[in-house]
Amino acid sequence: MKFFSRSMTLLLVSFALCGSSAAQSPRTPNAPALSGEAQIRNRLNAWALGLAGGLLEGAPIHFATEIARVVNDGGTMHVLPIVTRGPTENVNDLLYLKGVDAAIINSDSLDEYKSQVPQIQQRITYVMSLFPSELHIFVRPEIRSLSQLAGRKVNFNTQGTAAAYSGPLIFSRLGIAVDKMFIPHPVALEQLRRGEIAAVVFVTSKPVDAFVKGKWDEGFKFLPVEHGPKFEDYYLPAYLESTDYPNIIAKGERVATIAVPTILASYNWQPGTARYTRVARFVDELFSRVDKLQSPGFDAKWKDVSLRARVPGLERFRAAQEWLDRASPAKQTRNP
C-alpha cells in the first residue's frame, strides 16, 4: 500500500457535501436573501458527514450503511457512507482525504503509520468499538503447531481485506516466516483440501460460514494463538468454541486466539472547530439511537456492541466520552 494513496469511492458527491463548514454562516443585515436552492444547498452541507466504510463485500460498509440509516432518520444529519479500499486504507482517508469526517478501521492498522506519522495515536480517536474480528488459523491434519507453518504456503485472502493486512502482521509478531499467498479464500480452501497449501487465515467475526457449513475431514483444525505481551497494544484475547464450530471443535472445548477490534474512528478535531461540532452531533445522534440498531432488521452483531467498550491504544473522541459521562443508566448499553 502506498502511504499517501487515495481511496476510490462510489459516492464522490459526498466529498463536495462534507467539505463545507459545519454550520451555515449568518447573513449580514444588508446581505441579499438566499434563493430556495441556495438554502437547500447550505442546509444539506451544514450537517453532512462523510463516513469511510470499506469494500462492497465487507462487513464495515454494511455497518456504515446501517449507521447512516439510523442517524439520518433523525432528520438533523446526513451521513454519507463511502465505499473505500478497506479499513486499513481508511486510516489514510481519515488523515488526508477531504470530506472524510469518520471512518471504520481495524485498530492494528495504526501499526503501519507509527513510524511515518508522528503521534498517530493522538491524531486519531475512537468513537466506539463495533465488533471484534477473530483470528482463525485453519490448517491441514499434518500441521500440529504454528512453528510447522514456517516456509509453507499460507493464504491471507485478497489484498484489501482484514486478513491480508492483519494476518501477515500477526505472523511477523509471532516470528514465523511463511510463504504468503493472497488469493480468494474459496479457492484457497479447495487447495487446502488437496494439500497444495498448509493453512488459510481468516480475520473476521465468528462464526465463518466456510467452517460451519463446510464438511471437513478429521484432523483439519484451528491452531491456538495466545494473547500476551506481543499483542497487548492493539489486540484482545478471544476464543473459538465448539458452539461456534461444532463440526471442527469438540463439544465443551475451545481454541485460544486473538481478535482485532473493528472501530468507528474520528480525526481528533479540536473542540470549538466546525469539524468537531459536526462529529459531536453525529455522536449524539448515533449514541441516542443504538437501541434501534440492536432491534430486529439490523445486523445481529449490534446486540453485542457496548458503547462503553474500550479500544486498546487509542483515546475516545472527547464528545463521545462526554456523552457517556452524562448518560443516565437507562441510556447506557450493558457493560462489556
Side-chain angles (χ1 to χ4, degrees), residues 11-296:
L11 298 172
L12 294 177
V13 68
S14 65
F15 300 156
L17 289 174
C18 295
S20 64
S21 62
Q24 180 180 348
S25 300
R27 292 188 293 112
T28 60
N30 296 325
L34 294 175
S35 67
E37 185 176 346
Q39 291 180 24
I40 293 172
R41 181 177 63 248
N42 287 348
R43 185 173 66 251
L44 284 175
N45 281 277
W47 298 108
L49 180 138
L51 173 55
L55 298 167
L56 277 174
E57 64 271 24
I61 191 64
H62 175 65
F63 268 67
T65 302
E66 293 195 329
I67 288 171
R69 175 181 162 192
V70 165
V71 173
N72 293 350
D73 187 54
T76 61
M77 290 209 72
H78 188 188
V79 176
L80 297 160
I82 303 172
V83 177
T84 69
R85 291 175 179 164
T88 302
E89 283 284 341
N90 285 353
V91 176
N92 223 32
D93 297 342
L94 199 54
L95 288 170
Y96 305 114
L97 190 59
K98 184 178 180 180
V100 173
D101 299 283
I104 294 176
I105 67 174
N106 292 334
S107 62
D108 64 348
S109 60
L110 298 177
D111 188 79
E112 181 172 340
Y113 294 80
K114 288 191 301 185
S115 63
Q116 303 175 65
V117 180
Q119 300 179 324
I120 179 66
Q121 289 165 299
Q122 283 72 52
R123 297 175 66 179
I124 289 179
T125 60
Y126 75 97
V127 172
M128 64 188 296
S129 179
L130 293 175
F131 57 90
S133 295
E134 289 87 6
L135 172 69
H136 299 66
I137 303 179
F138 192 61
V139 300
R140 288 188 50 77
E142 63 269 20
I143 304 297
R144 300 183 181 278
S145 67
L146 288 168
S147 60
Q148 288 184 304
L149 291 176
R152 294 176 180 258
K153 291 182 178 180
V154 176
N155 189 60
F156 295 96
N157 209 355
T158 54
Q159 294 288 358
T161 62
Y165 176 79
S166 297
L169 178 59
I170 290 168
F171 270 77
S172 176
R173 291 187 175 207
L174 290 169
I176 301 173
V178 299
D179 183 0
K180 295 186 286 291
M181 298 175 59
F182 300 94
I183 62 175
H185 268 336
V187 177
L189 288 169
E190 291 305 312
Q191 293 184 7
L192 185 72
R193 291 181 190 275
R194 298 194 296 265
E196 297 171 11
I197 63 176
V200 293
V201 175
F202 284 71
V203 179
T204 189
S205 294
K206 64 179 185 180
V208 177
D209 281 351
F211 305 126
V212 174
K213 299 178 181 179
K215 294 183 179 180
W216 297 94
D217 292 339
E218 185 177 354
F220 283 90
K221 55 189 169 292
F222 298 108
L223 291 183
V225 176
E226 298 289 344
H227 186 266
K230 294 179 180 178
F231 301 113
E232 288 177 347
D233 50 355
Y234 297 119
Y235 304 91
L236 299 171
Y239 294 93
L240 306 178
E241 305 186 62
S242 57
T243 52
D244 302 318
Y245 303 110
N247 296 329
I248 298 173
I249 302 174
K251 185 176 181 179
E253 294 186 0
R254 61 182 187 176
V255 178
T257 190
I258 58 175
V260 184
T262 299
I263 64 176
L264 176 60
S266 167
Y267 192 81
N268 192 17
W269 307 109
Q270 290 302 303
T273 62
R275 301 297 284 274
Y276 177 91
T277 303
R278 178 184 294 158
V279 178
R281 176 178 283 197
F282 167 68
V283 167
D284 185 65
E285 294 293 324
L286 174 60
F287 281 20
S288 299
R289 291 174 170 79
V290 164
D291 58 334
K292 293 185 178 180
L293 286 165
Q294 295 175 334
S295 64

